[in-house]
């Protein structure tokens, strides 16, 4: 129930006169709300809230309406679910939060006075909380005072008393029942909204290529900067994922849309972004293994699952080291210089007349030409692949597909929307097959190396090594299956209607400025 | 849902105190917990200040003619509810005897609550009739408070023999020493008799303490008014030990 002005004290006084009441324990002075960056708890489960009252810390799981679903007495700050003490609280949280990290969403200070309504035997029959919070938001000077609220909750089995209490609050005190909008209502949240990594860059077909490519790079640089902090602090593995995708796309754009900037510039930044991509690799690989660990566990017999525990420990330890190295790279002068120089270059206006032949061409023609070139190469290479071809041939196709995908995604705006999206979807299916084929090979190899490392360091019992060995066999079987699937997927990609679509989409048009 | 029954064939050994304190600590650790006061004396209900009367009538609730969930009452502590005692529970054996599958009746009854609670603590009555058999079948763990005296150990032996003759036994039997008076030589001797005990005892021991008796004055678990006392700490360590064994058991189960 929302309270106007300084009503809180009046309500408390009136309640104390009309009912037997008891002010509960010490008031809560501070509350920190937690959820994952993609707000997994918000869906239907509510939010986590760490409270502090007289030196005691509780972790509350609040429903959307603010009711306490579960309570856990713990001094630990929520991070990953596996950092919480074992027990039903963690068991219930795990399937929702999974491998995501719980991040602080908002912090409020003030007090929450909890009042219990008692019966003649001093038994609690209803609960009320008068909440007066002040929130401070990063970047704002003055704290935000939140409206006073009275939260009323029933005690199971005492519904009649609860109705009587509500009646009193409404009729005698004139309070209005209102939806409070949940525990987070009105709070300035730590905004770390996840921006989809799906690209949509507004471009006009006739735009000069150098101008268009700069726009593409600007979007990618923004994505990098948006995820930089989260990556450095390792808030959640998704930040590094998006950071890395933006770097890979930047490198893709520099190599596939080359010829629009002076070659010295292109070469310099290509080298620097290759270095940066390399810095992010080890941490991401380990993140992926940690994320995949549940599926590894599912892939082995139940009895063998506990044997994978040393693998988790090994991965966690390696990830920590790699993350520290990555954070150091992001704090380095080299990184700072790279980002500053790149931003400066992208912000410079393009020269009115460029000496470079492709710089002044319309982006549609320029992109279509590059797309067609890569597409043709994939078709040629793919058709040559037989069951006897070496795995490297498939990897080449996979890398080309990646380039093609980047090109089409960067320039989606200048082609027929429906056709290009269908074409991207077809390509995606082929990429999934090739990606899985590659991942399984890499995973099998890495698991072998890890098993050796762990055995050498004496950190893995024989059972663990054997279980890892069995996992490797599973990966190899999976890889063979993907290999068999390639022919079907490639046939889809190389189907006549697909080829017709490619012609329709990327065929040269006789437009001014197009040189074909 | 894990069902922990506080059971002993002997009376006055600290069953109710154990059920109430363990349930309170379980609720505080984030488990949605229910105490089922199956003892017609209604001591657990008394500690939680709830009238020892089952809404809907004991018979009808047990036979699920009335929704058992409507009989549950919230306690003074969030996350901890109580299914109150009822004097009619004195006829539990007779009531079960009339049903078609008497020993399964209580398990079925609890099944209706499994989505709402993570843990149920049953405060049993000191008997070994059909009601107790039903509890043995429903419980995942039987926690047996045992005073370190010759007679108590005799009773425990008898219980062991009883289980040996049964096909269906509780998931696990975990006795612990209760009301231990370290001034008494006999108590000390029995507590140290590790190898010759009939079951593997829990390591935590509850001392004989006036704080436990004062639960009746405060009408609340020891933790709420004497958390730092010897009894308060002992219950805490007992709760941790049980929670640890339960989670270990669950891991082993999921691994099997």
């Amino acid at each position: 129930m929302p309270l106007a002005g300084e009503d809180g004290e009046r309500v408390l006084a009136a309640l104390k006169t009309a009912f037997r009441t008891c002010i509960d324990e010490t008031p809560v002075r501070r509350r920190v709300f937690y959820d994952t960056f993609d707000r997994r708890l918000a869906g239907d489960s509510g939010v986590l809230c760490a409270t502090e009252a007289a030196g005691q810390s509780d972790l509350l799981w609040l429903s959307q309406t603010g009711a306490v679903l579960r309570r856990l007495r713990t001094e630990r700050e929520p991070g990953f679910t596996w950092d919480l003490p074992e027990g039903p609280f963690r068991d219930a949280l795990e399937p929702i939060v999974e491998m995501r990290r719980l991040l602080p969403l908002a912090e409020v200070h003030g007090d929450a006075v909890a009042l219990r309504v008692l019966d003649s035997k001093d038994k609690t029959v209803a609960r009320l909380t008068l909440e007066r919070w002040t929130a401070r938001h990063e970047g704002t000077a003055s704290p935000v005072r939140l409206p006073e609220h009275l939260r009323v909750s029933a005690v199971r089995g005492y519904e009649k008393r609860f109705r009587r209490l509500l009646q009193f609050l409404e009729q005698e005190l004139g309070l209005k029942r209102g939806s409070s909008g949940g525990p987070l209502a009105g709070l300035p949240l730590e905004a770390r909204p996840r921006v989809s990594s799906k690209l949509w860059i507004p471009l006009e077909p006739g735009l000069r290529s150098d101008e268009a490519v700069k726009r593409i790079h600007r979007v990618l640089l923004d994505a990098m900067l948006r995820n930089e902090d989260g990556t450095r602090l390792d808030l959640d593995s998704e930040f590094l994922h998006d950071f890395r995708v933006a770097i890979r796309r930047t490198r893709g754009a520099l190599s596939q849309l080359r010829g629009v900037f002076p070659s010295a510039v292109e070469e310099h930044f290509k080298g620097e972004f290759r270095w940066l991509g390399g810095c992010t690799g080890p941490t991401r690989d380990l993140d992926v293994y940690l994320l995949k660990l549940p599926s590894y566990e599912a892939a082995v017999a139940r009895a063998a699952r506990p044997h994978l525990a040393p693998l988790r420990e090994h991965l966690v330890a390696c990830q920590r080291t790699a993350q520290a190295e990555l954070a150091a790279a992001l704090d380095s002068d080299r990184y700072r210089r790279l980002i500053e120089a790149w931003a400066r270059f992208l912000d410079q206006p393009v020269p009115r007349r460029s000496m470079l032949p492709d710089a002044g061409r319309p982006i549609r023609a320029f992109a279509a030409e590059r797309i067609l070139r890569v597409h043709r190469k994939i078709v040629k290479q793919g058709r040559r692949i037989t069951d006897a071809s070496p795995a490297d041939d498939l990897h080449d196709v996979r890398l080309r597909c990646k380039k093609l995908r980047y090109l089409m995604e960067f320039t989606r705006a200048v082609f027929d929307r429906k056709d290009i999206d269908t074409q991207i979807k077809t390509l995606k299916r082929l990429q999934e097959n090739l990606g899985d084929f590659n991942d399984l090979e890499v995973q099998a190899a890495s698991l072998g190396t890890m098993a050796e490392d762990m055995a050498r360091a004496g950190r893995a019992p024989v059972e663990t090594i054997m279980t890892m060995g069995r996992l490797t066999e599973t990966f190899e079987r999976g890889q063979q299956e993907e290999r068999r699937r390639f022919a079907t997927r490639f046939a889809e990609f190389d189907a006549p209607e697909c080829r017709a679509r490619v012609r329709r989409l990327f065929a040269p048009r006789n437009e001014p400025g197009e040189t074909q | 849902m894990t069902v922990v029954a506080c059971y002993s064939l002997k009376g006055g050994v600290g069953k109710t105190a154990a059920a109430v304190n363990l349930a309170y600590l379980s609720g505080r650790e984030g488990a949605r917990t229910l105490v089922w006061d199956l003892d017609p004396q209604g001591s657990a209900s008394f500690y939680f200040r709830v009238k020892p009367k089952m809404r809907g009538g004991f018979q009808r609730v047990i036979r699920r003619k009335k929704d058992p969930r409507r009989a549950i009452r919230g306690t003074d502590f969030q996350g901890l509810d109580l299914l109150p005692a009822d004097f009619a529970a004195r006829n539990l054996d007779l009531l079960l005897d009339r049903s078609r599958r008497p020993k399964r009746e209580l398990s079925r009854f609890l099944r209706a609550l499994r989505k709402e609670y993570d843990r149920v603590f049953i405060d049993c009555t000191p008997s070994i009739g059909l009601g107790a058999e039903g509890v043995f079948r429903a419980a995942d763990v039987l926690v047996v408070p045992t005073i370190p005296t010759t007679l108590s150990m005799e009773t425990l032996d008898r219980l062991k023999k009883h289980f040996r003759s049964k096909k269906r036994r509780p998931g696990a039997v975990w006795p612990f020493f209760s009301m231990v008076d370290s001034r008494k030589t006999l108590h000390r001797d029995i507590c140290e008799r590790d190898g010759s005990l009939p079951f593997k005892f829990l390591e935590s021991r509850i001392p004989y303490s006036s704080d436990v008796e004062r639960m009746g004055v405060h009408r609340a678990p020891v933790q709420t008014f004497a958390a730092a006392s010897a009894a308060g700490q002992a219950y805490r360590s007992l709760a941790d030990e049980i929670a640890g064994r339960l989670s270990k058991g669950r891991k082993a189960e999921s691994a099997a």
Side-chain angles (χ1 to χ4, degrees):
Chain A
M1 290 180 169
L3 302 179
E6 296 300 315
D7 252 353
E9 292 305 327
R10 180 179 73 89
V11 171
L12 283 187
L15 281 165
K16 281 181 198 163
T17 329
F19 296 92
R20 282 169 77 86
T21 55
C22 159
I23 297 260
D24 216 11
E25 299 162 10
T26 38
V28 172
R29 295 283 182 209
R30 178 172 168 254
R31 284 175 129 186
V32 187
F33 293 95
Y34 288 88
D35 199 346
T36 59
F37 77 93
D38 51 358
R39 304 292 305 278
R40 292 191 171 201
L41 286 170
D44 44 20
S45 333
V47 71
L48 286 191
C49 168
T51 63
E52 248 174 46
Q56 281 193 331
S57 312
D58 277 318
L59 190 60
L60 307 180
W61 189 339
L62 304 178
S63 75
Q64 276 186 325
T65 56
V68 180
L69 298 174
R70 284 168 188 274
R71 174 188 288 266
L72 177 69
R73 181 140 294 179
T74 175
E75 297 299 321
R76 294 186 211 172
E77 280 223 349
F80 292 108
T81 47
W82 52 81
D83 296 331
L84 290 173
E86 276 186 20
F89 192 99
R90 178 171 137 182
D91 292 347
L93 202 59
E94 245 161 9
I96 303 169
V97 172
E98 293 180 306
M99 68 313 242
R100 298 272 86 97
R101 191 196 282 270
L102 291 159
L103 302 170
L105 276 182
E107 186 174 328
V108 290
H109 293 262
D111 64 350
V113 182
L115 192 80
R116 291 185 288 136
V117 177
L118 309 173
D119 68 3
S120 58
K121 291 200 175 77
D122 286 342
K123 163 82 180 67
T124 311
V125 291
R127 289 192 175 88
L128 297 112
T129 323
L130 178 65
E131 297 182 1
R132 288 175 284 214
W133 298 116
T134 307
R136 196 182 283 278
H137 186 34
E138 244 177 80
T140 55
S142 55
V144 184
R145 182 136 189 216
L146 302 172
E148 274 193 350
H149 256 101
L150 187 71
R151 289 190 199 279
V152 195
S153 51
V155 172
R156 190 171 188 168
Y158 298 91
E159 288 76 14
K160 221 188 270 175
R161 306 269 188 149
F162 182 65
R163 280 197 294 275
R164 213 180 296 158
L165 173 70
L166 279 184
Q167 213 173 11
F168 174 79
L169 291 170
E170 285 173 342
Q171 291 176 2
E172 303 289 321
L173 299 183
L175 298 181
K176 281 199 182 70
R177 223 187 294 191
S179 143
S180 59
L184 290 172
L187 282 185
L189 298 184
E190 283 292 321
R192 283 188 220 276
R194 167 117 199 266
V195 182
S196 159
S197 54
K198 207 171 171 189
L199 277 184
W200 175 256
I201 304 168
L203 298 173
E204 301 83 48
L207 191 69
R208 269 175 60 163
S209 290
D210 50 0
E211 175 79 54
V213 175
K214 273 198 173 183
R215 248 191 234 178
I216 293 168
H217 278 303
R218 187 77 241 190
V219 170
L220 298 174
L221 178 61
D222 287 345
M224 246 182 264
L225 296 176
R226 216 172 28 236
N227 290 293
E228 188 194 288
D229 264 351
T231 304
R232 183 182 289 119
L233 302 170
D234 195 17
L235 292 180
D236 193 288
S237 60
E238 269 325 272
F239 289 99
L240 171 59
H241 172 258
D242 289 357
F243 185 68
R244 206 171 134 76
V245 167
I247 296 170
R248 257 201 337 240
R249 281 175 171 162
T250 303
R251 292 175 60 200
L254 278 168
S255 67
Q256 295 310 302
L257 296 171
R258 69 172 176 273
V260 293
F261 305 139
S263 67
V265 172
E266 285 179 348
E267 287 310 313
H268 169 71
F269 285 113
K270 232 156 80 176
E272 286 304 281
F273 279 114
R274 190 185 312 125
W275 161 75
L276 186 57
C279 295
T280 60
T283 318
R284 177 61 195 165
D285 288 348
L286 290 158
D287 279 348
V288 171
Y289 293 129
L290 277 169
L291 297 178
K292 287 205 166 155
L293 209 57
S295 70
Y296 291 177
E297 282 167 348
V300 296
R302 273 188 153 204
R305 282 174 202 168
H307 300 324
L308 286 177
L311 175 61
R312 175 185 281 279
E313 283 162 27
H314 177 74
L315 288 171
V316 168
C318 294
Q319 198 271 355
R320 270 192 202 134
T321 318
Q323 171 62 33
E325 281 166 17
L326 170 60
L330 294 183
D331 287 329
S332 68
D333 284 345
R334 186 174 179 180
Y335 174 74
R336 193 179 41 79
R337 275 200 306 272
L338 164 64
I339 296 296
E340 278 171 12
W342 186 231
R344 214 177 311 124
F345 171 73
L346 294 181
D347 289 342
Q348 274 167 15
V350 289
R352 197 179 294 175
R353 275 177 166 269
S354 175
M355 300 291 285
L356 302 159
D358 284 329
R361 287 175 65 194
I363 183 64
R364 191 200 166 277
F366 177 60
E369 182 191 298
R370 298 290 160 104
I371 290 172
L372 271 181
R373 196 191 294 169
V374 182
H375 189 268
R376 272 192 215 116
K377 276 187 190 160
I378 294 173
V379 170
K380 207 166 144 193
Q381 257 184 327
R383 282 179 188 169
R384 274 208 301 261
I385 287 175
T386 62
D387 288 346
S389 306
D392 282 350
D393 287 3
L394 271 98
H395 293 321
D396 286 345
V397 177
R398 183 178 66 87
L399 294 176
R400 285 245 154 75
C401 285
K402 219 180 228 183
K403 289 173 185 166
L404 179 62
R405 171 92 171 268
Y406 289 155
L407 278 171
M408 291 204 287
E409 282 178 343
F410 294 153
T411 53
R412 260 167 86 206
V414 301
F415 298 105
D416 178 78
R417 181 81 180 266
K418 205 173 142 214
D419 271 353
I420 190 116
D421 284 351
T422 319
Q423 188 55 26
I424 289 177
K425 218 178 270 172
T426 317
L427 175 64
K428 218 165 137 183
R429 277 172 63 80
L430 176 62
Q431 276 189 295
E432 273 163 11
N433 166 254
L434 290 165
D436 289 347
F437 175 76
N438 182 57
D439 285 353
L440 288 163
E441 183 175 293
V442 173
Q443 284 179 50
S446 312
L447 219 57
T449 322
M450 276 190 261
E452 276 172 28
D453 290 348
M454 287 164 71
R456 213 174 302 128
R459 277 191 303 216
V462 184
E463 292 86 354
T464 303
I465 303 290
M466 279 169 64
T467 312
M468 287 168 75
R470 274 198 289 275
L471 259 179
T472 313
E473 285 164 22
T474 321
F475 294 155
E476 282 162 0
R477 273 199 303 277
Q479 200 196 3
Q480 282 158 11
E481 270 169 40
E482 290 301 330
R483 173 75 194 240
R484 276 194 290 277
R485 241 172 256 155
F486 171 78
T488 331
R489 291 290 167 88
F490 184 75
E492 282 168 22
F493 179 77
D494 196 24
E497 68 267 23
C498 194
R499 286 206 304 270
R501 189 164 49 233
V502 169
R503 272 197 301 275
R504 222 170 33 237
L505 270 166
F506 309 117
R509 287 182 197 162
N510 289 326
E511 280 170 19
E514 292 207 7
T515 50
Q516 277 291 320
Chain B
M1 186 174 85
T2 311
V3 181
V4 179
C6 292
Y7 172 82
S8 169
L9 198 48
K10 274 179 76 65
V13 294
K15 285 189 299 294
T16 306
V20 166
N21 285 301
L22 291 176
Y24 169 78
L25 287 163
S26 156
R28 224 179 55 170
E29 296 312 313
R32 296 167 304 170
T33 307
L34 176 77
V35 178
W36 183 5
D37 189 357
L38 201 50
D39 189 343
Q41 290 180 65
S43 311
S45 306
F46 174 81
Y47 285 145
F48 287 119
R49 300 169 193 268
V50 176
K51 203 155 86 176
K53 188 99 195 118
M54 235 187 220
R55 188 192 282 174
F58 182 76
Q59 280 202 25
R60 271 173 295 185
V61 172
I62 289 291
R63 294 183 144 184
R64 301 186 303 284
K65 298 248 161 60
K66 285 273 177 188
D67 187 354
R69 285 169 303 183
R70 299 247 316 133
I72 294 172
R73 287 179 180 261
T75 66
D76 286 359
F77 314 102
Q78 284 175 332
L80 177 60
D81 292 346
L82 174 82
L83 190 56
D86 196 296
F87 198 55
R90 69 189 189 282
N91 299 324
L92 180 63
D93 290 357
L94 282 174
L95 176 73
L96 294 179
D97 196 29
R98 265 183 259 144
S99 87
R100 230 177 329 148
R101 294 177 185 272
K103 290 178 195 171
R104 285 194 195 173
E105 205 64 18
L106 297 184
S107 311
R108 284 186 177 186
F109 174 82
L110 283 170
R111 215 173 293 153
L113 305 171
R114 71 177 186 276
K115 282 199 182 135
E116 283 185 64
Y117 295 99
D118 300 313
R119 286 198 196 132
V120 178
F121 287 84
I122 308 179
D123 181 22
C124 303
T125 145
S127 74
I128 192 152
L130 269 179
E133 294 289 353
V135 168
F136 296 160
R137 189 172 274 223
D140 297 291
V141 179
L142 214 61
V143 173
V144 190
T146 309
I147 305 176
T149 59
T150 324
L151 275 184
S152 292
M153 302 314 286
E154 274 297 308
T155 319
L156 208 54
D157 259 333
R158 186 165 291 275
L159 193 65
K160 181 156 192 168
K161 277 180 201 142
H162 175 74
F163 286 144
R164 224 179 269 154
S165 66
K166 293 279 168 189
K167 261 195 285 175
R168 286 277 193 157
R169 295 164 215 175
V173 183
W174 297 342
F176 66 92
F177 287 118
S178 171
M179 299 169 82
V180 180
D181 188 343
S182 52
R183 290 167 304 181
K184 295 181 179 164
T185 320
L186 181 66
H187 279 209
R188 283 201 309 271
D189 284 352
I190 292 182
C191 286
E192 298 316 319
R193 217 199 265 171
D194 208 21
S196 58
L197 295 172
F199 290 97
K200 181 144 178 52
F201 271 56
L202 289 160
E203 278 168 25
S204 316
R205 293 167 190 171
I206 307 297
Y208 181 79
S209 157
S210 56
D211 286 321
V212 181
E213 284 170 356
R214 275 169 54 217
M215 280 171 66
V217 182
H218 290 272
R219 295 185 77 171
V222 175
Q223 296 290 330
T224 61
F225 61 88
S229 67
Q233 285 180 11
Y235 278 121
R236 158 117 245 155
S237 117
L238 184 66
D240 288 347
E241 200 181 346
I242 291 175
R245 276 209 195 177
L246 284 176
S247 88
K248 216 168 164 191
R250 221 181 29 241
K251 268 189 209 155
E253 203 174 89
S254 70

